[in-house]
Amino acid sequence: MFNIILFGPPGSGKGTQSQKLIEKYGWKHLSTGDLLRSEIAQQTPLGLEAKNFIDKGQLVPDEVVIGMISTALETNPGVPGFLFDGFPRTAAQAEALDKLLQLKKTAIAVMLALDVSEEELVKRLLNRGQSSGRSDDTDESIIRSRIEEYETKTKPVADYYNGFNKVVHIKGEGSVEEIFEALCKEIDKRT
């Protein structure tokens, strides 16, 4: 099983590239947002627990999210691997994910980090905001705040995986196809 983390700040192109990678390699896309919505819709015990936190305006605890990921791993035994998108967001989540994957006799093979300049991120998100309907993509100060939040809270995840020599930085600027080719080149080296 080949598992990767696609990593990068808001607007770096993770969603676009995730879809292309899933189509090419046949992996299961694990987005914690999608998992949460699915578990809540199915009214599973974990979903109901998550909904309870969300309804109170609180973050869903790591243990609940890890539980959902465990379920996703168990219910997709035939896939060649998983692409993690939007998770882990903290070093603690990365450690918990590694422990879970170790129990399942697998691991993260590589973290592909999309590097994009702040000005390019702002430009992309403002453009996306014109058609996405996402209010957090229409206000430049909110966008810059999200990028800053990523830098302070999420970037330590890359530091964690760097300690295991699993981080590869990919230039996230250029055409969608150029970035996709760079991602595939790094993946193909490892499979």
Side-chain angles (χ1 to χ4, degrees):
M1 185 174 287
F2 192 83
N3 305 305
I4 76 163
I5 297 171
L6 190 56
F7 195 71
S12 60
K14 292 186 305 292
T16 300
Q17 295 299 336
S18 288
Q19 283 312 116
K20 292 178 74 60
L21 291 169
I22 289 158
E23 286 171 25
K24 177 170 180 165
Y25 294 100
W27 296 324
K28 174 77 176 158
H29 185 225
L30 279 187
S31 154
T32 50
D34 292 347
L35 283 178
L36 283 167
R37 285 184 286 279
S38 172
E39 295 272 345
I40 290 168
Q42 294 174 40
Q43 297 191 340
T44 66
L46 284 172
L48 294 172
E49 191 176 348
K51 185 177 183 329
N52 190 28
F53 286 101
I54 292 167
D55 288 349
K56 293 177 185 168
Q58 299 171 337
L59 290 175
V60 178
D62 290 352
E63 308 80 64
V64 176
V65 176
I66 287 290
M68 290 178 183
I69 290 171
S70 179
T71 300
L73 293 172
E74 289 166 13
T75 56
N76 292 283
V79 299
F82 292 87
L83 185 151
F84 291 88
D85 169 13
F87 188 87
R89 288 184 188 269
T90 65
Q93 288 178 350
E95 288 178 39
L97 177 61
D98 279 358
K99 284 179 185 160
L100 172 66
L101 292 175
Q102 192 174 15
L103 286 172
K104 308 285 184 191
K105 309 237 183 301
T106 187
I108 295 296
V110 67
M111 171 188 270
L112 299 173
L114 293 169
D115 294 334
V116 182
S117 71
E118 184 172 338
E119 292 314 306
E120 177 66 17
L121 292 170
V122 170
K123 188 174 92 180
R124 287 181 185 181
L125 290 169
L126 287 171
N127 282 340
R128 184 171 83 182
Q130 293 173 2
S131 60
S132 70
R134 288 182 53 168
S135 59
D136 59 344
D137 285 347
T138 58
D139 182 319
E140 187 172 330
S141 64
I142 291 173
I143 289 169
R144 289 191 188 276
S145 175
R146 286 167 54 207
I147 294 167
E148 187 178 325
E149 173 105 346
Y150 165 82
E151 291 292 331
T152 57
K153 292 192 177 163
T154 309
K155 229 168 179 188
V157 175
D159 296 337
Y160 170 82
Y161 283 107
N162 216 20
F164 299 102
N165 203 25
K166 291 186 176 184
V167 179
V168 176
H169 291 272
I170 303 288
K171 185 175 179 242
E173 296 182 42
S175 75
V176 169
E177 234 11 83
E178 288 168 340
I179 298 163
F180 180 64
E181 285 175 24
L183 290 166
C184 292
K185 184 177 169 192
E186 290 299 331
I187 291 163
D188 294 343
K189 275 186 202 175
R190 291 164 175 76
T191 55

